[in-house]
Amino acid sequence: MPSLFEESIDITGLRFYTLKQEDGKYLSFAYNEHKIIDAIKSAGITFNQVLSIHFAQIEFEELVKGKAQTCLKVNNVCLSFIEEKLVQIPVSLRANIDNSFDISNLKLSKEKIYLDSTSKYLDKKHTYTLVGVLLLVTIFTFIKAYSNYSEAFKYSDKKERLITTNNMPSTSIQTNALIKKYKKIKEKQINIRETIEYVLNSRKKIGARVVGFDFNKEKLVVKFKGVEAKKITTYLEKEYTLNKAVVKDGITSVELSL
Amino acid sequence: MIQDLKNFNIKRVNPLVVLFVIFVLMLISFIFLKKSKIELNNSAYNYTQFQEVSKNYSVLKKNWGDSKTAEKKLDKLIKSSGIKNIDVTKKNKSQVIKFEYKQLNLVDQFINKVLNENLQIKKLLIDEKKVELEIRY
């Protein structure tokens, strides 16, 4: 229907309402929404009080049937139907004025329009397009956030699986305590092996021969032969503190703590 | 109230209000997304840290805290040592190995292998005739 008006009037800023009366016959209305809104405002009515807007052409038709040529006075305006069209007649003509008309008794039809209260700069179509875009962004963001939370929650499952697979204690305190214990054992055992290596290297370094070796708990007693005691103790004292050194029958026994 | 509901028509809802509500929802969704990203990063970081701890624990336990593995290693070393008449005594949490030797090279090889394995040496006695070794589990 807009094309119906396009050729004759500038339709920019106008809206249309069309009522089909019978096949091939339509009643169309073109209206300037902002003018209606301005009129409502100037009448001191708040916008929220207005449920809908009806066309007098449609609503008054039933009332004037059989009252042809009668002018209905409504709010100092004289309305009359001439050739099925509602027209205003100047009150000064005073032609068959019917003062009995009461607008409050009017039963409104279903033919109505709703006013668009959006900004003049942002029409309804663009507003809803923008709403649609923002809604899509919001939905996508919520889905992504949910996906992130879901992914984060999966790490808890993975952690539980690691605990089960590696037969770990249920709490991190217990795990850390065991790690500390095992590390201590490892360090001690490495220390024992390094000490044994150092002691056995005495053959290469100072020509001493190890003839006895006794490690028990924290103490190590080594018996050397073939070199004087001073040389042995000097060699060992470079790395360790000696508890005692005894020479008997040409054998030097040295005790050191690990 | 019922009349109000009857009068309510979705077409009368101001699109600007809808736009504003959607905009607020979008802001909330951004905050939600930001928090979820932080949560995800924290979870990923904590999991990586835990993986390290788990790996560390697993290796340490296998090497120094697994009595069955230690027992198997020691049995294998004894069988492959070629030393005869080895006296093996199993205690509660340790195993004592005693033997007398004549071939020093076999003792050397055996002790070297023991020292190269992750076995907890509790006692090691070597003199000119015999060897006594206690391994803790």
Side-chain angles (χ1 to χ4, degrees):
Chain A
M1 291 309 293
S3 59
L4 185 69
F5 299 94
E6 262 177 350
E7 291 175 1
S8 53
I9 53 172
D10 177 15
I11 59 166
T12 312
L14 297 181
R15 293 181 181 277
F16 306 97
Y17 184 82
T18 302
L19 170 67
K20 185 179 179 181
Q21 290 185 316
E22 57 188 71
D23 283 345
K25 190 179 178 185
Y26 295 88
L27 181 60
S28 293
F29 300 90
Y31 59 94
N32 187 325
E33 196 168 52
H34 293 299
K35 280 188 178 177
I36 299 173
I37 292 170
D38 290 342
I40 290 169
K41 281 180 186 171
S42 61
I45 302 167
T46 59
F47 194 76
N48 289 335
Q49 287 177 294
V50 182
L51 290 177
S52 55
I53 302 290
H54 294 254
F55 296 100
Q57 169 75 40
I58 299 169
E59 306 306 328
F60 289 175
E61 194 173 8
E62 287 297 317
L63 288 170
V64 297
K65 268 183 183 174
K67 291 183 180 180
Q69 304 304 315
T70 302
C71 182
L72 305 174
K73 196 180 176 187
V74 181
N75 294 340
N76 291 324
V77 175
C78 198
L79 301 171
S80 183
F81 273 83
I82 297 170
E83 293 177 0
E84 297 183 0
K85 293 182 190 72
L86 189 68
V87 294
Q88 280 188 31
I89 296 172
V91 179
S92 57
L93 290 178
R94 296 179 180 276
N96 300 326
I97 292 175
D98 184 355
N99 286 320
S100 64
F101 181 70
D102 185 4
I103 199 166
S104 60
N105 293 329
L106 201 64
K107 285 187 178 178
L108 296 170
S109 70
K110 290 178 182 176
E111 310 303 330
K112 56 191 171 185
I113 57 165
Y114 296 99
L115 295 177
D116 182 3
S117 58
T118 49
S119 162
K120 288 178 184 177
Y121 308 104
L122 195 65
D123 67 21
K124 207 169 187 174
K125 189 183 168 188
H126 287 112
T127 306
Y128 279 122
T129 306
L130 195 58
V131 165
V133 172
L134 294 187
L135 192 64
L136 281 177
V137 172
T138 306
I139 291 169
F140 175 78
T141 312
F142 271 118
I143 290 171
K144 182 67 185 159
Y146 175 77
S147 163
N148 285 348
Y149 275 119
S150 177
E151 195 68 26
F153 188 72
K154 280 181 188 170
Y155 281 111
S156 301
D157 288 343
K158 285 182 181 178
K159 199 174 164 183
E160 286 302 318
R161 275 203 293 277
L162 268 184
I163 290 173
T164 314
T165 311
N166 294 328
N167 202 18
M168 293 172 75
S170 52
T171 66
S172 59
I173 296 170
Q174 288 172 302
T175 307
N176 290 336
L178 281 172
I179 287 174
K180 199 176 171 184
K181 180 189 162 189
Y182 294 144
K183 276 185 177 174
K184 201 176 170 186
I185 292 170
K186 184 184 173 184
E187 280 170 18
K188 191 182 170 188
Q189 290 298 317
I190 287 171
N191 189 30
I192 291 168
R193 282 156 176 80
E194 284 175 350
T195 308
I196 291 171
E197 189 189 4
Y198 188 79
V199 167
L200 293 176
N201 274 342
S202 63
R203 190 183 180 95
K204 286 181 189 171
K205 301 283 181 185
I206 56 170
R209 190 160 63 90
V210 177
V211 292
F213 192 93
D214 185 6
F215 166 72
N216 197 353
K217 292 177 183 172
E218 306 293 322
K219 286 180 183 174
L220 174 66
V221 179
V222 192
K223 290 178 180 175
F224 294 93
K225 207 176 178 182
V227 75
E228 60 187 72
K230 183 68 182 167
K231 223 173 178 180
I232 294 165
T233 52
T234 308
Y235 172 72
L236 293 174
E237 276 173 340
K238 284 179 187 171
E239 293 289 331
Y240 304 96
T241 307
L242 305 184
N243 292 342
K244 61 181 177 183
V246 180
V247 183
K248 192 181 175 184
D249 301 331
I251 295 171
T252 307
S253 294
V254 181
E255 183 188 302
L256 49 99
S257 298
L258 297 181
Chain B
M1 178 69 179
I2 294 167
Q3 192 60 38
D4 286 347
L5 286 172
K6 279 180 182 174
N7 291 338
F8 180 80
N9 192 312
I10 191 70
K11 287 182 181 176
R12 295 190 69 246
V13 177
N14 191 330
L16 286 178
V17 174
V18 178
L19 187 66
F20 177 74
V21 169
I22 292 293
F23 185 72
V24 170
L25 274 177
M26 193 179 70
L27 287 181
I28 293 170
S29 74
F30 284 152
I31 294 167
F32 202 54
L33 180 66
K34 180 77 179 168
K35 281 189 174 180
S36 74
K37 276 182 181 174
I38 293 169
E39 179 77 19
L40 180 61
N41 288 341
N42 284 344
S43 295
Y45 177 76
N46 288 339
Y47 178 69
T48 312
Q49 296 286 99
F50 187 76
Q51 262 185 323
E52 286 294 314
V53 172
S54 170
K55 193 179 170 185
N56 202 7
Y57 172 83
S58 181
V59 171
L60 283 169
K61 192 190 174 190
K62 191 183 171 189
N63 289 339
W64 303 105
D66 191 349
S67 57
K68 285 182 183 174
T69 309
E71 201 173 343
K72 278 181 188 173
K73 280 179 190 171
L74 194 59
D75 285 345
K76 200 177 170 185
L77 289 177
I78 292 167
K79 282 176 187 172
S80 64
S81 68
I83 302 165
K84 291 173 185 176
N85 301 323
I86 296 180
D87 177 28
V88 180
T89 310
K90 289 186 179 179
K91 291 185 178 178
N92 185 24
K93 284 188 173 181
S94 66
Q95 193 164 323
V96 180
I97 297 147
K98 289 179 187 173
F99 59 88
E100 290 186 354
Y101 68 90
K102 286 176 184 172
Q103 291 173 285
L104 190 61
N105 61 329
L106 287 180
V107 177
D108 256 358
Q109 283 175 12
F110 177 67
I111 296 299
N112 262 328
K113 284 178 182 173
V114 169
L115 292 174
N116 283 327
E117 288 290 350
N118 295 318
L119 294 166
Q120 287 188 55
I121 298 165
K122 190 180 176 186
K123 185 181 177 182
L124 176 61
L125 170 72
I126 307 170
D127 64 20
E128 288 174 335
K129 287 182 182 176
K130 65 175 190 299
V131 173
E132 193 177 329
L133 172 69
E134 187 173 355
I135 300 294
R136 185 187 285 144
Y137 295 146

